[in-house]
Amino acid sequence: MKNNEPIIVTQLFNASMEQVWEALTDVDQMRQWYFDAIPDFKPEASFQTRFLITNEGRNFTHNWLITEVEFPTKISYQWTFDEYPGESISTFELSKKEHQTLLTVTSKIIKDFPTDIPEFKRESGVAGWEYLIKESLVKFLATR
């Protein structure tokens, strides 16, 4: 299996598209389920933000660059890190399913990340997205 296969996570929410979109793009909400260190976020193409996450003594300065926005159904942004080579794009796509909203997150590697760093292993990426979308975001939206 190729390590560069995109990671795709889907989740159905008992919430409106507007509520899910807000959770994905409003910085105050994003801090509650995603990363509490996000300093700023605007769902606008070419908007950039950066923040530091430390894990097991390793620093990951996240650099996000928004590459595409189709309000309120799609947003994509590029991820790079100051400390490591590599680049990925994460795309969040929303669609209506009767009274629910289906979210599909696709994380695609554009330039390889170092394979000797545990956080960059495919299993780690899968586990991270599954946790964020299927647990953290589900819990967050359930309280809205």
Side-chain angles (χ1 to χ4, degrees), residues 89-124:
I89 298 245
S90 295
T91 301
F92 298 76
E93 291 177 277
L94 300 174
S95 57
K96 256 187 168 45
K97 292 272 183 241
E98 290 164 15
H99 301 297
Q100 297 178 305
T101 302
L102 180 69
L103 170 63
T104 302
V105 179
T106 305
S107 179
K108 218 184 278 180
I109 292 178
I110 310 296
K111 290 187 196 133
D112 288 341
F113 291 99
T115 51
D116 57 340
I117 307 290
E119 289 83 353
F120 292 132
K121 292 206 182 313
R122 181 178 170 80
E123 307 75 65
S124 176

Side-chain angles (χ1 to χ4, degrees), residues 4 9 16-17 22 31 39 41 46 51 59 61 68 77-78 81 85 100-101 114 119 121 133 136 140-142:
N4 279 357
V9 176
S16 68
M17 266 176 70
E22 286 283 304
R31 286 184 193 127
F41 192 87
S46 79
F51 56 96
N59 285 343
T61 303
E68 189 181 358
Y77 42 95
Q78 174 194 69
F81 301 90
Q100 297 178 305
T101 302
E119 289 83 353
K121 292 206 182 313
I133 302 307
S136 189
F140 174 73
L141 282 167

